[in-house]
Amino acid sequence: MSTDTGSSRGAAGGVLLLCRAGPDAVAPVVPLLRERAGIAGAGDGWTLLVPEGEPWRNGETVERVATGWAFALAVGVSWPVLAVWWDADRSGCVLASGFRRPVPYVWLGNGTAVGEDEAMRTLGEGLGLGAGAGAGALLALTRPEPSVDGIGRLRGLLAALAGLGLRLPDGVAPGETVEGLREVVREVVPEGAVRERVEVGGGVRAAGAGAEAGGSGVSGGTGARVVAWVQVGLGVPVLVWGVRRRRAGWVVAGLVLVGDGVVGGVRAGAWGRA
């Protein structure tokens, strides 16, 4: 159940997207955010994304933006995405995994828990945190603790996930400004582009497909074809799911993904090459 309220609209805030996969697996789907995003490894089997946009300044809530970003990344992949977010009044997290309904949890600015214990258990299970000290640390975040505010709750959440190998880069923490986070996470996947990893002399370098106006927003080449394939591959099941359940919003989302992917694929030659 969403806990959106109008009080946080337009407030300063931030979002960290924590993907349960390495950067090589995450980078190809970053264009689905439709935002430039900083990318960095975040420990063993984790990737941090820091979107550069701030849509909440245009009237959206940070929670809703974070949920949309997490779902966009997770809907067509095998790994979950945890969005950690904060604004002037509240903080929270939301777990997205495939087509499952996102699982949110929210704290007020003073650290008071708004969500249910079951949601926190589901969140831990979805990330692979079994019974034990880690699960106990998550549940502790649902209990009253007057000395811990909402940002402190997020730090506790990230500390609990350290048992799963999560290690944020130095200087990255809940409560930081988007500008401050950008200074730390400097490697950027541009909006409408895809990073490719190429072996060079025993090392690895990053290469990007440039942006182009219209269509899928990417230029020709392997990167553009990958984006087109990903968009169509995600759009078709979203469209089918929406039609079967008579959900107009999902139908529209599926059509947009498929249409954008087809147009971009035509421009990149994705549909006529072996």
Side-chain angles (χ1 to χ4, degrees):
M1 179 180 63
S2 173
T3 54
D4 269 342
T5 66
S7 62
S8 61
R9 293 182 187 277
V15 177
L16 302 177
L17 297 172
L18 304 173
C19 305
R20 195 74 166 91
D24 287 339
V26 173
V29 300
V30 173
L32 298 174
L33 293 176
R34 302 303 183 99
E35 296 277 355
R36 286 170 54 89
I39 185 170
D44 185 16
W46 289 88
T47 298
L48 167 68
L49 296 176
V50 180
E52 293 189 353
E54 299 177 80
W56 47 87
R57 294 191 180 276
N58 297 321
E60 190 63 274
T61 65
V62 182
E63 179 186 7
R64 190 172 296 169
V65 170
T67 300
W69 280 342
F71 185 81
L73 291 172
V75 68
V77 296
S78 59
W79 32 267
V81 178
L82 179 69
V84 175
W85 62 269
W86 59 93
D87 61 31
D89 304 311
R90 303 177 305 146
S91 62
C93 60
V94 57
L95 177 70
S97 181
F99 283 99
R100 299 179 183 89
R101 177 177 296 180
V103 180
Y105 200 91
V106 176
W107 295 273
L108 300 181
N110 63 6
T112 300
V114 178
E116 300 177 357
D117 290 4
E118 186 59 33
M120 188 61 76
R121 292 191 187 93
T122 301
L123 190 148
E125 292 169 0
L127 291 171
L129 197 63
L138 285 185
L139 286 177
L141 299 173
T142 68
R143 309 287 186 251
E145 182 54 66
S147 64
V148 181
D149 63 9
I151 296 298
R153 295 291 199 178
L154 294 183
R155 295 190 181 119
L157 169 67
L158 299 177
L161 296 179
L164 294 176
L166 178 66
R167 299 287 187 278
L168 292 182
D170 292 341
V172 174
E176 296 291 333
T177 64
V178 173
E179 292 77 13
L181 294 171
R182 285 184 201 145
E183 287 298 311
V184 177
V185 185
R186 292 179 176 271
E187 184 176 359
V188 172
V189 180
E191 178 184 2
V194 64
R195 259 188 22 165
E196 301 173 74
R197 304 293 275 184
V198 184
E199 295 290 339
V200 179
V204 179
R205 68 178 176 85
E212 177 184 83
S216 64
V218 295
S219 64
T222 303
R225 292 196 295 273
V226 169
V227 172
W229 291 330
V230 168
Q231 287 179 313
V232 174
L234 292 179
V236 169
V238 169
L239 177 59
V240 172
W241 192 87
V243 169
R244 287 180 176 174
R245 288 163 177 76
R246 298 181 181 179
R247 302 286 182 86
W250 292 103
V251 171
V252 171
L255 287 172
V256 169
L257 279 170
V258 172
D260 207 30
V262 168
V263 172
V266 168
R267 292 185 175 183
W271 317 123
R273 303 184 183 185

